[in-house]
Amino acid sequence: MVMHPPSAINPDTGLPWSVRNDSTFGFVPTLSICIVFVALFAITGLVHLFQAFHYRVKRWWIPTVVTCGLVEVIGWSGRIWGSQNVWSQNPYIMQIVCTIFAPSFMTAAFFITFVRIIIIIGPEYSRLSPRIYTYLFVGVDVVALVIQSIGGGMAATANTPSGSQNGAHVMVGGIILQMAAITIYSLTSIEYFWRVFAERPLRVRRDPLAPSLPQSETTTADGEKTNDSREHRGLDNLTPNVRTMLLGLVIATILVLIRSVYRTIELLDGWGGPIITNQTLFDCLDGIPIFLAMVTLNIFHPGRLIPQ
């Protein structure tokens, strides 16, 4: 049962309390929907935890995708709490902060998986070394998470609507930074695979497995001809498993981008705007895309398709 407001009349307006105008959510979250999402994120998160140990990738899979699932469970639990007390600010802050933070952990897994693919196919087609890619993209992801945390703290401790809105703007900055990182990662991925398919390496990799074979001439992207002990083609390493992993990565990335665009528009629209107070939009453009992205990684798991 939804708890009653603290008094019959809102002392600030002199009017009866209204869920739409006076509650933190602007609506009463549907309890059954919130329970379903808690269950769904718990299930996919537990499967990811099992897969992390089974495929021996726990060192980087637990801090990323498994943590994403855990934070989503906490966030949707906040919405369950809010469905029973829409007048309290605590469940509202709990759910909005957690559901904003959670995907940041999963995007770090995207970046690490892409680096593993670069190592398999050939770093010579990449503008940056795999190590630099890891530090760059994961570093930006961490910075975006910190910015979102600062914004969440500002919104949670603000005593005025303008202070809360300033916190929301800071969170938007973190989301936009995360979205920019995903976009740049997507563009660099496109360029990388263009070079792989066009056989336009930026550098030449000498194959250490055949030092005694005759020298062969290879042309780099700059038109320079270099002798190599054996000609290497990136397409040779683009196995069916790698192609399948790429498909999963593309699907999951698109789903997270959809959610990021929605959350940016939602927060810019304001705490009491028609977007943030629309439960259906949140369920369809945040809950469902992130859940599907996690399930996609359950199915297209890098530990199975591109084991280290």
Side-chain angles (χ1 to χ4, degrees):
M1 176 179 292
V2 179
M3 294 179 63
H4 294 294
S7 61
I9 300 297
N10 184 341
D12 295 329
T13 63
L15 300 173
W17 287 89
S18 163
V19 171
R20 173 65 183 86
N21 297 323
D22 301 318
S23 71
T24 52
F25 284 89
F27 61 92
V28 179
T30 303
L31 178 61
S32 58
I33 292 177
C34 299
I35 292 175
V36 167
F37 273 108
V38 167
L40 291 176
F41 279 113
I43 291 171
T44 182
L46 288 173
V47 173
H48 276 297
L49 182 61
F50 168 77
Q51 291 176 315
F53 283 93
H54 181 71
Y55 295 123
R56 300 179 180 179
V57 292
K58 58 182 180 294
R59 286 192 303 173
W60 64 280
W61 204 250
I62 290 178
T64 56
V65 182
V66 175
T67 301
C68 173
L70 174 61
V71 178
E72 286 286 353
V73 168
I74 296 173
W76 282 91
S77 296
R79 290 177 78 85
I80 291 178
W81 181 13
S83 72
Q84 303 305 297
N85 187 3
V86 296
W87 310 105
S88 174
Q89 188 179 25
N90 292 332
Y92 182 79
I93 295 297
M94 174 180 168
Q95 62 87 29
I96 198 165
V97 168
C98 288
T99 56
I100 286 176
F101 289 176
S104 298
F105 297 101
M106 182 162 51
T107 54
F110 295 171
F111 304 146
I112 297 172
T113 301
F114 176 57
V115 168
R116 287 165 67 97
I117 292 174
I118 288 177
I119 294 172
I120 291 172
I121 295 177
E124 65 269 25
Y125 300 95
S126 173
R127 289 197 174 273
L128 301 175
S129 70
R131 184 182 297 273
I132 292 177
Y133 265 125
T134 302
Y135 289 151
L136 177 62
F137 285 113
V138 175
V140 171
D141 199 53
V142 171
V143 171
L145 182 59
V146 170
I147 293 174
Q148 292 172 51
S149 301
I150 294 172
M154 290 173 60
T157 58
N159 296 318
T160 63
S162 61
S164 296
Q165 195 59 45
N166 289 336
H169 289 158
V170 173
M171 284 194 285
V172 168
I175 295 175
I176 291 175
L177 179 60
Q178 180 190 63
M179 194 161 49
I182 296 175
T183 302
I184 294 173
Y185 134 80
S186 301
L187 293 175
T188 56
S189 301
I190 291 171
E191 189 219 12
Y192 176 80
F193 286 104
W194 173 80
R195 291 192 178 280
V196 170
F197 281 96
E199 193 53 42
R200 299 281 291 175
L202 290 161
R203 297 171 296 279
V204 174
R205 178 171 68 177
R206 183 178 297 277
D207 189 347
L209 298 178
S212 61
L213 291 180
Q215 297 285 310
S216 62
E217 227 174 37
T218 307
T219 303
T220 68
D222 298 326
E224 299 178 356
K225 293 186 177 180
T226 308
N227 288 330
D228 189 18
S229 59
R230 183 167 70 182
E231 185 178 357
H232 170 82
R233 295 178 70 253
L235 284 175
D236 296 338
N237 293 331
L238 198 59
T239 64
N241 275 0
V242 175
R243 292 173 187 264
T244 303
M245 186 67 251
L246 281 173
L247 174 62
L249 206 54
V250 168
I251 294 172
T253 299
I254 291 173
L255 289 167
V256 172
L257 275 174
I258 291 172
R259 171 263 176 195
S260 296
V261 171
Y262 160 70
R263 293 311 293 260
T264 300
I265 297 173
E266 173 203 50
L267 291 177
L268 288 176
D269 189 48
W271 292 114
I275 298 177
I276 202 170
T277 55
N278 189 315
Q279 180 179 213
T280 302
L281 284 178
F282 183 85
D283 296 341
C284 295
L285 296 178
D286 187 286
I288 291 176
I290 298 303
F291 169 69
L292 291 179
M294 290 193 65
V295 171
T296 299
L297 293 180
N298 283 132
I299 300 170
F300 301 90
H301 199 286
R304 176 176 65 86
L305 295 172
I306 50 173
Q308 189 168 0

